[in-house]
Amino acid sequence: MAPAAMRTAAQSLSGAKPVSYWLDDPARPEALPALTGDEHTDLLVIGGGYSGLWTALIAKERDPDRDVVLIEGHEVGWAASGRNGGFCAASLTHGLANGVERWPDEIAKLEELGERNLDAIEAAVARYGIDCEFERTGEIDVATEPHQLQELREWHEEIVGLGITGVDFLDRDALRAEVDSPTFLGGLWDRRGVAMLHPAKLAWGLKRACLELGVRIHEHTRGLDLVRSGPGMAVRTPYGRVFARRVALGTNIFPSLVKRIRPYTVPVYDYALMTEPLTPEQLDSIGWKGRQGLGDSANQFHYFRLSADNRILWGGYDAIYPYGGRLSADLDQRPETFLKLAEQFFTCFPQLSGLRFSHAWGGAIDTCSRFTAFFGKAHQGRVAYAAGYTGLGVGSTRFGADVMLDLLSGEETARTRLDMVRSKPMPFPPEPFAWAGIELTKRSLARADSNGGHRNLWLRAMDKLGLGFDS
């Protein structure tokens, strides 16, 4: 980084609060009391992020008489659900390309289920009056290098060949008429497959909806262990126990109470910045009247979008895996990454020189080797789990909730018949092999970005095995 660019980036960060912009909101609800003593219930949901909240809500929608308890180790929406970029995608497969590669025979069904899932989220937001700034503006994948532009052209032709509509190729001029950056060479605009929203307000709204339907929620209540108890299960908490006929695990990146599935995920720390609100003149200088979400096409990619009050969220690029999969609040802040992100922001939007960042934060994503969620049962069908959303869980966690409830019911459905639901990703190896493999993959991906997209022998071998690393 040149000294002048470094000074500009550093100055822009001087007043940034070290907390998620989404969680730094006076609308944040008070935490509910922790569970004390023993409780009995039909269904216990563990985890108060999107995965658990959707599971509890849909369980009550399916059967209003079912008794449901949800426990959360901190506060609802505190982890990934309150720190993400607010991109709510229809895709259940971490993008169409990943789905076509892994499940070509199922991709039409997966796309249909994904569209229906996003429609259902939009309907639930309206039905329960959740003010989460939902805008179905779509997303543009942006090329900033010539090889990326060629790849997007070829991919668009393949999409058309698959009979998928609503995705348009934009050349340089058409893209810059939508959002103006001198780095943009072209893009693909998925017009209906992605919505923008306020992620924390979605979580808080789901919490309120659950309470209105009769779900009992206990915050600051960790599930410490999971054991058989008669015909059901028992979960010990710091101040009590929950006895449940069925249990749904929505703990994602946090260590699963079903220990055998822990090797299937690793934590990846992702980081984001939020600017102060743009003035009308600053907004005019970049256009962006369509308010789409954007993401560039590099392996080390950025994602960026406008908030309701016309701030720009700018995140991604660095994906940090801590040795041993360590989870720590200390890793939520990484000044060297924030400095890098700020410098890259002003490269993308030089016309916004002088703009400052109000917030800088990070958080852990549950990454698996196939990039998409995996599902399963334990304890003879009394427990269901979903994990591994790999940074695309704002929308797909609702689908995962439906899958978990299907599995717990013992019914075979269109969802449970999917190979995506029946299969598992490759587990990550133990240390030090996990760290070494991830570091080699990250360096290889960075090299490919700077070498016309050329993938080295290591990446080609990973591709052949269907393995990867992403955030």
Side-chain angles (χ1 to χ4, degrees), residues 241-293:
R241 293 175 299 177
V242 184
F243 296 90
R245 292 179 58 248
R246 297 291 183 266
V247 177
L249 297 177
T251 49
N252 296 318
I253 193 52
F254 298 99
S256 177
L257 294 181
V258 177
K259 294 181 181 179
R260 71 171 185 268
I261 72 168
R262 292 181 184 180
Y264 289 103
T265 62
V266 295
V268 175
Y269 276 80
D270 183 52
Y271 298 92
L273 306 174
M274 183 70 94
T275 72
E276 61 193 3
L278 274 63
T279 66
E281 294 75 22
Q282 288 171 325
L283 197 54
D284 283 344
S285 74
I286 57 173
W288 217 339
K289 291 182 171 53
R291 303 182 58 80
Q292 308 94 332

Side-chain angles (χ1 to χ4, degrees), residues 245-443:
R245 292 179 58 248
R246 297 291 183 266
V247 177
L249 297 177
T251 49
N252 296 318
I253 193 52
F254 298 99
S256 177
L257 294 181
V258 177
K259 294 181 181 179
R260 71 171 185 268
I261 72 168
R262 292 181 184 180
Y264 289 103
T265 62
V266 295
V268 175
Y269 276 80
D270 183 52
Y271 298 92
L273 306 174
M274 183 70 94
T275 72
E276 61 193 3
L278 274 63
T279 66
E281 294 75 22
Q282 288 171 325
L283 197 54
D284 283 344
S285 74
I286 57 173
W288 217 339
K289 291 182 171 53
R291 303 182 58 80
Q292 308 94 332
L294 287 94
D296 62 51
S297 302
N299 293 306
Q300 291 184 288
F301 62 93
H302 303 92
Y303 54 88
F304 40 117
R305 50 78 54 100
L306 287 170
S307 66
D309 59 350
N310 291 330
R311 301 167 184 262
I312 297 176
L313 179 141
W314 177 264
Y317 194 78
D318 272 349
I320 305 301
Y321 169 68
Y323 185 88
R326 180 173 63 97
L327 291 168
S328 170
D330 292 341
L331 297 171
D332 293 346
Q333 292 292 306
R334 198 167 191 268
E336 60 268 45
T337 292
F338 297 144
L339 195 63
K340 189 185 302 179
L341 283 172
E343 191 271 337
Q344 292 164 340
F345 175 86
F346 291 113
T347 298
C348 182
F349 294 122
Q351 63 269 53
L352 297 180
S353 179
L355 189 65
R356 290 181 175 270
F357 295 100
S358 62
H359 296 75
W361 72 93
I365 292 169
D366 59 327
T367 294
C368 75
S369 60
R370 73 181 192 187
F371 310 145
T372 66
F374 60 91
F375 314 90
K377 297 187 290 186
H379 294 282
Q380 296 181 313
R382 295 173 176 85
V383 177
Y385 57 82
Y389 290 95
T390 316
L392 213 68
V394 178
S396 55
T397 44
R398 187 194 173 281
F399 173 81
D402 264 327
V403 171
M404 283 195 285
L405 291 170
D406 289 349
L407 293 173
L408 290 173
S409 74
E411 299 175 26
E412 186 175 279
T413 68
R415 288 178 288 264
T416 62
R417 284 192 293 269
L418 292 167
D419 184 52
M420 187 188 84
V421 170
R422 293 174 178 269
S423 61
K424 293 282 193 300
M426 183 80 75
F428 289 92
E431 298 293 10
F433 304 107
W435 187 87
I438 289 170
E439 283 300 303
L440 179 55
T441 302
K442 285 172 56 181
R443 292 174 189 176

